[in-house]
Amino acid sequence: MGNSESQVSKTVVSTINPPGIPSPVSIYSQVTSVPLSPSTKLITIAGQVPVAEDGTVPGTLAEQIDLCLSRVGICLSAVGGKIPDLIRLVYYVTQNAHDPETTPRVFMDRLSPWLGGHGPASCYIVVAGLSHPEYMVEFEASAVVASKNK
């Protein structure tokens, strides 16, 4: 059963690592796509961390949020998606960066213009830390996008 399941998965699940996004440092893909119907596909976007193409990490929470959102947008565009196609966003913020008085406002100031009035399901999770000590945030996303071969 293991081989046939693996072969089926490889024919149904498409993966992509878009240009403009640093290559994964482990065995995963930045984006996966699974057909839902002849006209739609489910897109999952791996956690996007605030690393610029040159490897630098911005120093402020606002800059890190902007970079993560940019990376989610690049991933979404790579599969023909747009912001209104998003069905779920998950935001991870470190305990060190989270201030209940100010952090939600910083998120909303960055997210509202980017989402342009679209309101996907979302979850804001405070974590002890992320994969690198400089990271304050990480974003992951899911979308339903029209298939090109309708």
Side-chain angles (χ1 to χ4, degrees):
M1 183 159 67
N3 279 343
S4 63
E5 283 180 15
S6 176
Q7 289 172 348
V8 168
S9 293
K10 289 181 190 271
T11 61
V12 174
V13 177
S14 299
T15 61
I16 186 171
N17 290 306
I21 302 291
S23 296
V25 294
S26 184
I27 302 174
Y28 70 93
S29 298
Q30 297 288 3
V31 183
T32 60
S33 173
V34 178
L36 290 177
S37 73
S39 62
T40 59
K41 55 190 174 184
L42 174 66
I43 305 302
T44 57
I45 299 173
Q48 297 300 305
V49 294
V51 177
E53 280 191 84
D54 65 2
T56 60
V57 177
T60 69
L61 179 61
E63 291 171 322
Q64 288 196 14
I65 291 169
D66 288 345
L67 184 52
C68 289
L69 290 173
S70 173
R71 289 177 56 147
V72 168
I74 290 168
C75 289
L76 196 54
S77 292
V79 291
K82 297 178 174 56
I83 301 300
D85 297 324
L86 289 168
I87 60 171
R88 184 170 189 255
L89 281 172
V90 179
Y91 329 114
Y92 301 93
V93 62
T94 61
Q95 287 175 338
N96 291 340
H98 176 69
D99 175 343
E101 299 297 318
T102 61
T103 306
R105 174 57 42 210
V106 174
F107 266 81
M108 290 313 301
D109 288 348
R110 311 324 285 176
L111 279 167
S112 292
W114 188 80
L115 287 170
H118 179 59
S122 66
C123 188
Y124 179 99
I125 302 170
V126 179
V127 296
L130 294 166
S131 61
H132 190 282
E134 288 183 84
Y135 301 165
M136 294 181 241
V137 294
E138 181 172 333
F139 284 60
E140 66 181 52
S142 301
V144 174
V145 174
S147 296
K148 290 180 182 175
N149 57 349
K150 286 192 212 178

